[in-house]
Amino acid sequence: MDTIISNTTEFVNSNPTLINNVELQSTTIIQYLKSFSNWQIALAFIIIILTWDQISYQMKKGSIVGPKFKWYPIIGPFLESLDPKFEEYKAKWYSGDLSCVSIFHKFVIISSTRDISRKIFQSSKFVKPCVVDVAVKILRPTNWVFLDGKPHIDYRKSLNGLFTKSALAKYLPSQQKVMDKYLEKFIQLSKENNYEPQIFFHEMREILCALSLRAFCGDYITEDQIRKIADDYYLVTAALELVNFPIIIPYTKTWYGKRTADNAMKIFESCAQKSKDYIAAGGEPICVMDAWCKLMHDAKNENDENSRILHRDFSNKEISEAIFTFLFASQDASSSLACWLFQIVADRPDVLQKIREEQLAVRNNDLSTEITIDLIDQMKYTNMVIKETLRYRPPVLMVPYVVKEKFPVTPNYTAPKGSMLIPTLYPALHDPEVYENPDEFIPERWVEGSKASEAKKNWLVFGCGPHVCLGQTYVMITFAALLGKFALYTDFEHKVTPLSEKIKVFATIFPKDDLLMTFKRRDPLTGEVFE
C-alpha cells in the first residue's frame, strides 16, 4: 500500500500539467455555479424536489390502482382530505383490491377486500397500528397501544380480564344510573323545545362519554370532570383526523387535542391512585380501574405465568394512558353507533315494537327486574338490531397501520417500508354474497345458523388478529341495556331529512343532518305517552 501511495505521489508531482488541468476545471465549475442567480438555484432545487416526488410516487405505486401522477406536487390530495366524503372513499374501495394515494411524505395504500384486510390485521411481523402521525404525540409514545410484538401481547394479557362478562357485570349498575340521568335529560331538552325535533348529535356523544368514563373510572371521577372531558373530547377527534399536520403547532387542532388529552390523563392518574387505595383497603371492583388494581393486588400472591405479568405495579401514569386509549377507542365509534341506532330504530316502528315486546318479555313484565348480563343475553332480537346496525353503518371504516418492513401484501405487490397500509371494513360488511341485499337493514339476517351469522371472516367490525378490539363484548352489553331502557321508557321520534341517510365522515361516520330527534316520556306497560 505504501508503495502505491508513493508511486502515485511521484506521478502527480512529475506531471504539473495534470495539476493545472484539475485546478482549472475546479475554477471553471465554481465560476459557472457563481453565474447562477439565487432564484435560478432555488428553481433548480424545486425542480429536483418535484421530480423526485413524482419518481418516488411511481416507484411505490407500482401496479396498483391510483392517480397516474401526483397532480398536486408534494401535498397530493391534501385539500380534499380536509373535508372527506364517504362517496369518494367508497369509489376508492371499489376501484381495485389495492389502491393508493400520496399526501406530503406519506404514501398510503388502501386494501378493499376481506382477505387482504384480514391479512394486514394478522401480520404483526410486517405492520403495527399507527392511527395518524400526530397520534403518538397526543396519546403519548409510552402508551401500550404503540407496543409491538411480545411487549404488546404481555400488556394485553394484563387487560383481558377487564372486559370479561363477569367483569362487565360489575360495571352495569353505575352505567344504569348514567342511562337514567340522560333519559331524563333528553326528555327535558325536548320539552324545553316544545317537542320539536332538534339536533342530538352532541347529546349522543356526551351520554356515551359519560357511560364509558363511569365504567372505566367509577365514582372516582366527578360529574364536572365527566362533563368537561365530554365537552372537550371533540377537540381530540379533530386532532386525530386521518390527514393532519404531523407536527403540533400552537393553537391548531393538534395543539388543542394534545392539551385536552393531557388534562384528561391527569384526571385519570388521580382516579388510578384512589382506586389503588380502595382495593388495598379490601374493596371489591365496581369499575375497570378497580378490576385492574385487583388483578395486580391478587397477582402478588400467585406464581403462574399470567400473574407474573401483573406482578409489577402499573404506575398511575400507565393506567391513565391505557384508560385514555379505551376512551379513544370507544368514544367516536360508540357515538356513531348511538346516532345510527336511534335513527334507524325510530324510522322503523315495527323494529321498535319488537324491541319493546322483547324487553317486557325478558323481564316477565316486572319493571323492577334488575338488568344483568344473563338478562341481556336473552335479548336476542335487541342484539340482532345492534349487530345489524354495526354491519349496515360500521362506525370505523378504516384502520391505519404502518409498514415496519417490506410487506408482500399480494403476489404482485409489496408495500414499501414506512408506508401507511389501511385495511377497510365496509366492503366486507356489505358483501352481497354473504349479506343478501346488503344496503337494506334486516336484523333477522343474524338469526342463529344463518349465512350471515356463520360468515365469521366477514365480521370485521372490531378487527381481527393481535390487535382485535378488547371492548367488543362491552359494546354489545352496553347498547343492549341502553336501547332497551330508552325503548321502554321513552317515545323517541326522528325527523327524516334528505341528509339523514347521507354519511358524514368525522373520524367515524354520522348522519349528515346531525340526528334530529325528540323524546317524550312513555309508560312501559301501557305505552301511554306523556308531555
Side-chain angles (χ1 to χ4, degrees):
M1 178 61 74
D2 292 340
T3 303
I4 293 174
I5 294 173
S6 176
N7 291 339
T8 302
T9 303
E10 289 180 9
F11 173 76
V12 172
N13 290 336
S14 62
N15 288 274
T17 303
L18 177 62
I19 297 174
N20 291 337
N21 285 340
V22 171
E23 291 178 347
L24 180 62
Q25 290 175 6
S26 298
T27 302
T28 302
I29 292 172
I30 292 171
Q31 290 175 341
Y32 180 73
L33 291 175
K34 285 183 176 180
S35 69
F36 284 96
S37 63
N38 289 336
W39 74 264
Q40 287 175 317
I41 294 173
L43 180 61
F45 179 75
I46 291 172
I47 291 173
I48 291 171
I49 293 295
L50 295 181
T51 301
W52 171 245
D53 184 51
Q54 292 289 354
I55 293 172
S56 175
Y57 170 71
Q58 296 294 333
M59 291 171 62
K60 292 175 180 177
K61 176 180 178 294
S63 60
I64 64 176
V65 175
K68 190 172 183 180
F69 300 101
K70 288 183 68 172
W71 297 110
Y72 300 98
I74 308 297
I75 66 171
F78 172 69
L79 298 178
E80 290 95 324
S81 65
L82 293 176
D83 181 24
K85 293 178 173 57
F86 175 76
E87 292 75 18
E88 293 175 358
Y89 280 142
K90 195 173 181 180
K92 179 70 85 173
W93 300 333
Y94 291 106
S95 66
D97 293 354
L98 289 174
S99 58
C100 69
V101 68
S102 181
I103 301 177
F104 288 117
H105 67 295
K106 187 65 67 178
F107 184 71
V108 182
I109 306 154
I110 301 167
S111 155
S112 302
T113 71
R114 178 198 71 183
D115 292 337
I116 295 178
S117 292
R118 288 183 66 87
K119 181 177 181 179
I120 296 168
F121 280 128
Q122 295 169 339
S123 298
S124 56
K125 175 184 176 183
F126 296 100
V127 298
K128 66 177 180 178
C130 66
V131 195
V132 292
D133 286 347
V134 78
V136 177
K137 300 179 179 68
I138 292 177
L139 301 179
R140 298 179 182 171
T142 53
N143 201 306
W144 79 281
V145 76
F146 299 117
L147 295 176
D148 199 20
K150 191 174 185 303
H152 175 267
I153 293 171
D154 287 348
Y155 207 116
R156 191 181 177 94
K157 284 181 181 178
S158 72
L159 304 176
N160 286 336
L162 310 182
F163 294 97
T164 62
K165 280 193 173 183
S166 59
L168 294 172
K170 298 173 182 177
Y171 318 149
L172 263 177
S174 60
Q175 288 187 302
Q176 288 289 309
K177 293 177 183 177
V178 173
M179 293 175 194
D180 289 338
K181 172 190 170 184
Y182 277 89
L183 186 148
E184 294 297 328
K185 179 177 179 178
F186 286 10
I187 292 173
Q188 185 61 31
L189 284 172
S190 298
K191 183 177 181 180
E192 291 171 359
N193 198 47
N194 295 317
Y195 298 106
E196 290 296 319
Q198 60 185 302
I199 289 175
F200 264 84
F201 166 76
H202 302 288
E203 279 67 33
M204 289 298 175
R205 288 181 63 87
E206 184 178 327
I207 184 176
L208 266 299
C209 188
L211 281 168
S212 294
L213 290 177
R214 193 59 75 197
F216 299 159
C217 303
D219 292 331
Y220 308 125
I221 189 167
T222 68
E223 291 289 338
D224 288 342
Q225 288 171 331
I226 288 176
R227 192 175 302 108
K228 176 65 175 171
I229 293 173
D231 288 345
D232 291 350
Y233 197 86
Y234 192 90
L235 300 172
V236 177
T237 305
L240 292 172
E241 289 172 333
L242 185 58
V243 178
N244 220 319
F245 286 107
I247 57 175
I248 295 178
I249 301 171
Y251 305 106
T252 61
K253 288 181 184 179
T254 51
W255 185 82
Y256 284 113
K258 185 176 189 310
R259 189 173 69 166
T260 298
D262 286 344
N263 289 338
M265 281 188 257
K266 286 179 183 176
I267 292 172
F268 297 157
E269 282 191 51
S270 173
C271 294
Q273 186 57 55
K274 293 174 184 176
S275 178
K276 285 180 177 179
D277 294 341
Y278 169 73
I279 294 299
E284 286 300 315
I286 56 172
C287 66
V288 169
M289 279 189 178
D290 286 347
W292 196 354
C293 292
K294 177 71 171 170
L295 288 171
M296 285 189 284
H297 184 271
D298 293 347
K300 294 175 183 178
N301 299 316
E302 302 292 337
N303 199 34
D304 60 277
E305 183 181 350
N306 288 337
S307 294
R308 283 194 292 273
I309 292 170
L310 287 161
H311 273 179
R312 74 176 179 87
D313 281 329
F314 287 85
S315 68
N316 294 342
K317 179 175 177 290
E318 287 177 306
I319 294 174
S320 74
E321 290 173 353
I323 293 296
F324 192 82
T325 59
F326 296 162
L327 183 62
F328 168 67
S330 67
Q331 175 57 16
D332 292 311
S334 60
S335 299
S336 168
L337 175 56
C339 287
W340 290 113
L341 187 61
F342 276 85
Q343 171 173 305
I344 288 167
V345 171
D347 290 346
R348 293 163 175 81
D350 57 323
V351 172
L352 180 54
Q353 182 59 29
K354 289 179 183 178
I355 292 171
R356 285 171 172 160
E357 290 172 358
E358 179 178 73
Q359 292 297 315
L360 287 176
V362 299
R363 292 171 170 81
N364 293 317
N365 285 351
D366 182 0
L367 299 178
S368 66
T369 303
E370 182 183 355
I371 295 292
T372 64
I373 301 296
D374 290 339
L375 199 69
I376 289 174
D377 284 342
Q378 296 175 43
M379 300 174 185
K380 302 297 184 183
Y381 186 77
T382 304
N383 278 292
M384 286 194 293
V385 170
I386 296 166
K387 195 164 186 178
E388 177 66 352
T389 304
L390 286 167
R391 184 207 65 81
Y392 179 67
R393 289 289 184 264
V396 178
L397 300 175
M398 302 178 286
V399 184
Y401 281 76
V402 65
V403 179
K404 299 188 293 183
E405 57 180 272
K406 289 183 178 180
F407 179 18
V409 185
T410 70
N412 301 317
Y413 184 76
T414 298
K417 180 180 179 180
S419 59
M420 185 182 284
L421 188 54
I422 304 180
T424 56
L425 314 183
Y426 189 92
L429 295 165
H430 285 74
D431 182 350
E433 293 185 9
V434 175
Y435 309 109
E436 188 177 350
N437 300 319
D439 293 326
E440 293 183 19
F441 184 83
I442 309 172
E444 289 79 6
R445 74 168 81 245
W446 293 104
V447 68
E448 189 174 348
S450 66
K451 182 190 292 187
S453 67
E454 296 299 316
K456 308 298 183 185
K457 288 187 175 182
N458 280 70
W459 184 246
L460 291 177
V461 170
F462 298 101
C464 65
H467 290 276
V468 66
C469 178
L470 274 171
Q472 51 187 307
T473 304
Y474 166 83
V475 170
M476 298 302 294
I477 287 173
T478 299
F479 275 91
L482 178 67
L483 180 58
K485 183 175 287 288
F486 271 80
L488 283 178
Y489 290 93
T490 70
D491 182 59
F492 54 91
E493 296 179 357
H494 169 244
K495 180 181 179 181
V496 179
T497 75
L499 296 178
S500 294
E501 286 294 329
K502 299 292 184 182
I503 294 173
K504 173 177 70 174
V505 181
F506 181 65
T508 50
I509 64 171
F510 297 91
K512 264 194 175 179
D513 61 7
D514 286 337
L515 189 66
L516 296 164
M517 297 199 72
T518 185
F519 293 80
K520 295 178 182 177
R521 194 179 306 282
R522 175 183 183 275
D523 185 301
L525 294 176
T526 66
E528 185 179 357
V529 178
F530 305 95
E531 293 190 7

